Amino acid sequence: EVQLVQSGTEVKRPGESLKISCKASGYSFASYWIGWVRQMPGRGLEWMGLIFPGDSDTRYNPSFQGHVTISADKSITTAYLQWRSLKASDTAMYYCARRDTSGWYYFDQWGQGTLLTVSS
Amino acid sequence: SSELTQDPAVSVALGQTVRITCQGDSLRNHDASWYQQKPGQAPVVVIYGNNKRPSGIPDRISGSSSGNTASLTITGAQAEDEADYYCNARDNSGYQFVFGTGTKVTVL
């Protein structure tokens, strides 16, 4: 069974750093793109970027580039989303999602989400 | 980057048909997928490749695309179809993805 299991709820202060994770199982991790999606409270879905764990090729939404880092560790089949300095506006639910490789461009499996609250 | 625009909200009577649209320039060249999100849950894909249904998605949900507009149709809406729906497609560069603004579907 394909699963994406994300790390738990985080509460942080502005300026702190954070790395959240997305543990994949049930498929060949290196062969599928993994994306990250933000959902701010009461708002819609925003595509942040994605990574191909096989060669670490990474694509960023220009709106997020420079503020977050997407990475992956093939040895433990885990993808990451990282901030060096959090802002209150980073408060949101974050989802990881696997991009299908059948030739169609869509996200077929999603993690359960990681809720991040940034507050002083 | 491209934008995908959806109507914010629509309502449909139980058992009736509702169509949700998604407009954007990139849809002329790239296929759309649709995601259903219920409160407190992660999104679930209901349509990909403009009109393909993943296994387990009821056949009352269908998709189509023409020009710069992709559509999701629910024929014979059920109470469990009440949710937010988001379209998604690659942008004009082909290297990025973009989500639509989302449509809240209420089943009356």
Side-chain angles (χ1 to χ4, degrees), chain A residues 45-58:
Chain A
L45 304 176
E46 299 174 89
W47 182 76
M48 300 177 72
L50 74 173
I51 186 167
F52 189 73
D55 61 6
S56 295
D57 186 8
T58 309

Side-chain angles (χ1 to χ4, degrees), chain B residues 16-75:
Chain B
Q16 296 303 301
T17 296
V18 62
R19 189 175 79 159
I20 306 164
T21 61
C22 170
Q23 288 191 301
D25 285 343
S26 67
L27 295 175
R28 297 184 185 279
N29 298 307
H30 301 298
D31 54 86
S33 53
W34 290 89
Y35 301 84
Q36 177 192 71
Q37 187 181 34
K38 296 181 179 180
Q41 298 183 20
V44 172
V45 59
V46 294
I47 292 289
Y48 68 94
N50 290 330
N51 55 17
K52 296 162 184 54
R53 260 188 319 273
S55 60
I57 302 302
D59 61 6
R60 64 177 180 272
I61 294 177
S62 62
S64 62
S65 183
S66 180
N68 74 334
T69 302
S71 301
L72 179 79
T73 301
I74 305 174
T75 304

Side-chain angles (χ1 to χ4, degrees), chain A residues 14-85:
Chain A
E16 292 185 329
S17 63
L18 177 66
K19 194 174 191 178
I20 63 174
S21 65
C22 172
K23 169 70 174 175
S25 61
Y27 71 96
S28 176
F29 177 71
S31 301
Y32 288 75
W33 291 84
I34 290 276
W36 287 93
V37 176
R38 182 176 80 174
Q39 188 167 38
M40 299 175 75
R43 307 296 294 272
L45 304 176
E46 299 174 89
W47 182 76
M48 300 177 72
L50 74 173
I51 186 167
F52 189 73
D55 61 6
S56 295
D57 186 8
T58 309
R59 314 278 170 82
Y60 290 95
N61 178 335
S63 298
F64 292 93
Q65 186 148 23
H67 185 54
V68 299
T69 301
I70 294 171
S71 61
D73 185 337
K74 289 187 293 186
S75 68
I76 55 172
T77 65
T78 300
Y80 300 97
L81 179 65
Q82 182 175 8
W83 295 260
R84 284 190 301 175
S85 181

